[in-house]
Amino acid sequence: SAALLARFAARGVERRLLPRLHDAARPCATLSPFVARHVLRLPMLQGVPIFPGAGDLGTTTLGAAADPYLYLGTSGWVATTAEGSVAEGREGVFTVLHPHKGRLIHAASMQTMGGNVEWLRTRLFDGALSVDDVNRLAAEAFRAAYQEQQPTAADSPGRSGRTHSNNNNNNNNNNN
């Protein structure tokens, strides 16, 4: 954005030093003959389109069955999406561009989520909780906290921009 470029310029960073940004869903280049032949040793791939794609947060958000959602892995985060195109984070929350143009992802992360869950499971519960138990308890706590903060979640826009209640109606219509 122009505002972000102005902030870089104010700090002495020249525009020519920054990489060009590309839409994740559109090809940004094609595979060169040299790379296809000499690096990959698959000359038939010459000219294949290259997509910049999305990182783990973007792809997990696209595949999540809910909005907001909780991701538990080696790292972990709670994330939700919103309409917008300017990423402005709040303390403890970072905001990145969604793979779909015109949307943002707001996330709060913990870098060692898997280690923390394992510590909790083995130290506080002497291993009596299974990983499935921990996941179930985390999901219940997350749902309860979200419902407390968002009593009208069924009417909020999801990743697609439609409301969850519209999604349910559409799903019901498709089953008829």
Side-chain angles (χ1 to χ4, degrees):
S1 75
L4 187 56
L5 288 173
R7 287 169 54 189
F8 278 118
R11 289 169 178 78
V13 178
E14 296 176 34
R15 170 67 180 106
R16 66 180 179 81
L17 298 175
L18 299 173
R20 237 175 81 216
L21 299 179
H22 298 276
D23 185 334
R26 296 176 193 227
C28 62
T30 57
L31 194 61
S32 73
F34 178 84
V35 171
R37 190 173 302 119
H38 300 290
V39 176
L40 298 176
R41 298 177 193 250
L42 296 167
M44 72 287 287
L45 294 182
Q46 172 183 325
V48 167
I50 298 173
F51 291 80
D56 58 350
L57 177 61
T59 55
T60 301
T61 300
L62 287 173
D67 186 0
Y69 71 92
L70 170 67
Y71 168 79
L72 295 174
T74 304
S75 66
W77 59 78
V78 175
T80 189
T81 65
E83 289 186 23
S85 59
V86 178
E88 294 179 13
R90 294 167 290 210
E91 187 174 337
V93 176
F94 62 93
T95 302
V96 298
L97 296 175
H98 191 286
H100 292 160
K101 191 172 185 164
R103 297 201 58 77
L104 299 170
I105 302 170
H106 303 291
S109 70
M110 182 175 288
Q111 298 305 312
T112 58
M113 180 59 80
N116 292 336
V117 169
E118 186 61 16
W119 180 88
L120 174 79
R121 194 178 76 74
T122 58
R123 298 293 193 290
L124 295 183
F125 295 97
D126 295 322
L129 285 179
S130 70
V131 172
D132 287 340
D133 291 333
V134 172
N135 287 338
R136 181 181 47 76
L137 291 170
E140 288 172 7
F142 181 71
R143 273 193 297 275
Y146 180 70
Q147 287 171 353
E148 184 177 299
Q149 295 296 317
Q150 303 290 331
T152 59
D155 295 322
S156 67
R159 289 179 310 283
S160 67
R162 296 180 301 184
T163 63
H164 293 291
S165 57
N166 286 344
N167 288 342
N168 291 337
N169 290 339
N170 289 340
N171 289 340
N172 292 337
N173 290 339
N174 290 337
N175 292 333
N176 293 335

